[in-house]
Amino acid sequence: MTHVHSTATRPGTAAGGDPLRAPISTRVVVDASGAGATGLSEALSALGLSPEAPDAGAGAGSEAPAAYCALLLGEEAYGAERSAGLDRERIRTAALAMAAAGRGRLVLVTDATGETHAGTDPDRYARLAADRAWWQHLVTEVAGRGVTGNTVVTGYSPDLGHHLSEAAEAGLLRYLVQRRPTTAADVAATVAFLVSEGCSYLVGETVPVDGGAGLGQIPSLPAGTPTLAPRRSAPQDQPPPEPVTGQDLLGHKVLVAGASSGIGRAAALHLAGRGADVVLAARRTQALEEVAAEIEALGRQAWTLRCDLSDPEDAATLGERAWKAADGVTTLLYAAGHLGFSTVGGDPASAARTFAVNLHSFVAVTEYLTARWREEKVPGAVVGVSSVSSTLSPVAGLEYYGASKAAMAQYIRCLAVSVARHGIRANCVAPGIIETPMGDAAGPEHRRGWISRIPAGRVGDPREVAAVLGFLLSGSAARVTGAVLRADGGFGLGDVAPLRPGFPEFVEVESP
């Protein structure tokens, strides 16, 4: 059954989008000098932010900046100048001032990937690696006091001061999934997200704005082709990023699978707030109707489709039904999930349902839509909701859940390579413990133990995950593909609260 909801904007309804997209402050300290700082500052200004240099005379008693962006650029293989490294004292002073104020965003923009390249200086790489390790420790230190810190990896970017010969650049681009350099605008759009109100549960994460360089794609190189320049996807082929507020998803039709509750519901409302029309799919039709009514109140259109994603036949038709209902779908958000438990000796029924919902139905919907996008030359985007259980947090009885979510993440990474040539992106978000019905499945003791290992010191809110999902589906993430981002409050940093000086006791902090 399909229900259609009106797109007419009601008098008095907001048209400015989700407030979580707003920057925590329009003033952003950009701590660097040279071409990289100039290029990034100009791109941030174009998004409505106000970059400024750090106050060299600022001391411990100075006013805390709300948003601080440090540049660490020195990748020799990209032709970068030798880096002077991070000004650790200055950055630490700013971070502690933020922590004292209980609010702030730290962003490291770097071209240092940790990869090795023949003929380059190992000591130079070691210094960059040391600064990145120092940054992660600083992020962990302030995470529990209202400050989130993350890293942007740029890839090859002449806008930020990288210089290669034409032949060397052609060789490098051949190994990229998206065959073009990263622009300052690409980086600025991601920085704008990381200093936004909604970026509050992404802690210590690395966002690869590198066109899939880190995926390790191995291209085919027939005899005689190594010296030929590959086809480049010109930056001008991509629409410029929208300002950091406003309805940047107008014209998009998003299929949200698992939209009746939790992260899927929050994401559907977030996307509608940014201007998207939404196809809502789940088993519980009454809950879908309630979400659709809220989307209609935002002035957007909604369609509701009942679909049991544990049923292979039902799931196999969802992509086509959504396409027909909305007259096309431009993006897919798969937020459905089943927390299936195992027992000693196995539980075939639980295993079948868990893999059906978490993996097989996701693959079926994704493959239908990516095929349609290729046929109709639609630059679509897919984002799947995985889990930190895919790589971290092994829990007794969750073998099926963890394995199914790990398979989803690897499928996304491989898909990103396969469809990039068609202008299609694929990414994944791996939430930690979130305040949802699924998050409530953890018993009090397990929940307490889990939170004690989260540097942010609290459970995440579905809206915080929705903000990350919205970023990945939007044009602001045009250079991000094949990424798996953990929205886990820093759990993936591996911090153990009882081992940290000054944290002898566990204190639960309420979610925002």
Side-chain angles (χ1 to χ4, degrees), residues 72-97:
L72 178 65
L73 303 173
E75 174 56 71
E76 189 177 356
Y78 293 159
E81 298 292 332
R82 185 179 294 271
S83 172
L86 298 178
D87 188 327
R88 297 183 183 181
E89 182 178 354
R90 183 164 64 199
I91 295 171
R92 180 175 170 77
T93 297
L96 293 180

Side-chain angles (χ1 to χ4, degrees), residues 455-474:
R458 61 180 177 84
V459 174
D461 187 281
R463 295 169 298 175
E464 296 176 302
V465 182
V468 182
L469 296 166
F471 163 70
L472 290 173
L473 287 171
S474 74

Side-chain angles (χ1 to χ4, degrees), residues 251-256 319-320 322-323 326-334 362-384 411-412 415 419-427 472-473:
H252 285 261
K253 296 176 182 177
V254 187
L255 168 58
V256 179
E320 183 178 12
W323 192 279
D327 192 23
V329 170
T330 61
T331 46
L332 167 64
L333 168 59
Y334 194 92
F362 168 62
V363 171
V365 178
T366 299
E367 293 191 343
Y368 174 84
L369 289 177
T370 52
R372 289 297 299 262
W373 291 336
R374 289 197 302 268
E375 292 170 4
E376 306 198 16
K377 300 188 185 306
V378 175
V382 176
V383 176
Y411 172 81
I412 282 282
L415 179 70
V419 299
R421 72 193 68 181
H422 303 288
I424 301 169
R425 298 183 301 109
N427 293 287
L472 290 173
L473 287 171

Side-chain angles (χ1 to χ4, degrees), residues 18 20-21 150 193-194 196-203 205 207 263 266-267 270-271 274 333 383-385 425 427-431 434 461-474 476-477 480 483-489:
D18 195 315
L20 292 180
R21 291 196 65 221
N150 294 285
F193 164 65
L194 293 176
S196 70
E197 293 284 357
C199 186
S200 46
Y201 208 57
L202 210 65
V203 177
E205 192 56 283
V207 183
I263 291 171
H270 175 83
L271 297 170
R274 294 172 68 161
L333 168 59
V383 176
V385 177
R425 298 183 301 109
N427 293 287
C428 207
V429 173
I434 307 297
D461 187 281
R463 295 169 298 175
E464 296 176 302
V465 182
V468 182
L469 296 166
F471 163 70
L472 290 173
L473 287 171
S474 74
S476 294
V480 184
V484 180
L485 302 183
R486 296 189 304 259
D488 61 1

